[in-house]
Amino acid sequence: MKTQDIETFFDRLAEAHPDPQTELEYVNDFTLLVAVVLSAQATDVGVNKATRALFQDVRDPAAMVALGEEGLREHIKTIGLYNSKARNVIALSEKLLAEHDGRVPSSRAALEALPGVGRKTANVVLNTAFGEPTLAVDTHVFRVSNRTGLAPGKTVEAVEERLMSVVPKAHIMDAHHYLILHGRHLCKARRPECWRCPVADLCAYEGKTTA
């Protein structure tokens, strides 16, 4: 995709989503971190249903450790991989208390050193909580980047690197939100809704659909 087309691509997505936000529900940096960890291989809708009651009472690492792994499992048992996720959330809460005074760190290295936190989770937290210009490449971002020709790549890392090099500076802060929302609501995996897509004329996808 040409530079001018990429600028137009993001201008249109920005117009479609003037105030893009994560669809995960959270109340502070800690609950954001927990929600993102829980969202791996799960839908935001499913995570939100599980965490609404949880985050009413558990909003910091100390409260999470006090709840314990068994108590947390009861809250999140409707989410895939809930056993391992419960272990990771309790372990990362303990590490936050032991090494970061109970605060979510703002460095990538410290975040990725937490149990259950990989690069994608760190990117989301750095962007959403700390205003860093990062791009979290989930399945939606990966699909949209490859399907449209925006930032093709065979791996998540390759797509992230390509996106960071081509996304206009004016849109870098919100780019992953734009792409996630576009992939979730229009550029769907099984049948993209090309007939109502604002960037269809810029897209390289050969199998465009009609209503």
Side-chain angles (χ1 to χ4, degrees), residues 176-195:
H176 84 275
H177 289 305
Y178 294 144
L179 295 172
I180 288 170
L181 292 170
H182 188 64
R184 182 174 291 152
H185 300 296
L186 283 179
C187 197
K188 301 174 183 178
R190 292 188 177 181
R191 188 169 186 263
E193 298 181 9
C194 305
W195 64 90

Side-chain angles (χ1 to χ4, degrees), residues 105-119:
S106 58
S107 79
R108 177 183 299 282
L111 283 167
E112 292 186 9
L114 297 172
V117 177
R119 186 174 181 85

Side-chain angles (χ1 to χ4, degrees), residues 50-203:
T51 58
R52 283 187 189 119
L54 174 67
F55 291 161
Q56 287 180 7
D57 300 314
V58 179
R59 299 187 173 194
D60 58 62
M64 188 66 75
V65 171
L67 177 66
E69 190 176 321
E70 183 176 349
L72 179 56
R73 281 200 302 266
E74 284 301 306
H75 280 280
I76 66 171
K77 61 186 178 182
T78 57
I79 301 175
L81 306 175
Y82 70 93
N83 283 314
S84 61
K85 289 178 180 178
R87 285 194 298 271
N88 283 333
V89 169
I90 297 301
L92 73 82
S93 298
E94 292 171 340
K95 191 162 186 173
L96 289 176
L97 291 169
E99 300 180 11
H100 301 285
D101 296 322
R103 298 186 180 91
V104 176
S106 58
S107 79
R108 177 183 299 282
L111 283 167
E112 292 186 9
L114 297 172
V117 177
R119 186 174 181 85
K120 187 193 81 171
T121 296
N123 277 340
V124 173
V125 174
L126 289 170
N127 180 272
T128 303
F130 300 108
E132 294 290 331
T134 59
L135 273 158
V137 180
D138 69 351
T139 56
H140 297 297
V141 175
F142 188 83
R143 179 176 66 254
V144 171
S145 298
N146 276 285
R147 178 184 277 167
T148 62
L150 171 67
K154 294 183 178 180
T155 66
V156 167
E157 293 79 9
V159 169
E160 181 184 339
E161 182 178 358
R162 178 64 178 161
L163 283 171
M164 290 300 293
S165 71
V166 302
V167 174
K169 290 183 179 180
H171 293 301
I172 193 67
M173 283 300 302
D174 292 322
H176 84 275
H177 289 305
Y178 294 144
L179 295 172
I180 288 170
L181 292 170
H182 188 64
R184 182 174 291 152
H185 300 296
L186 283 179
C187 197
K188 301 174 183 178
R190 292 188 177 181
R191 188 169 186 263
E193 298 181 9
C194 305
W195 64 90
R196 63 187 191 97
C197 173
V199 293
D201 60 312
L202 305 173
C203 174

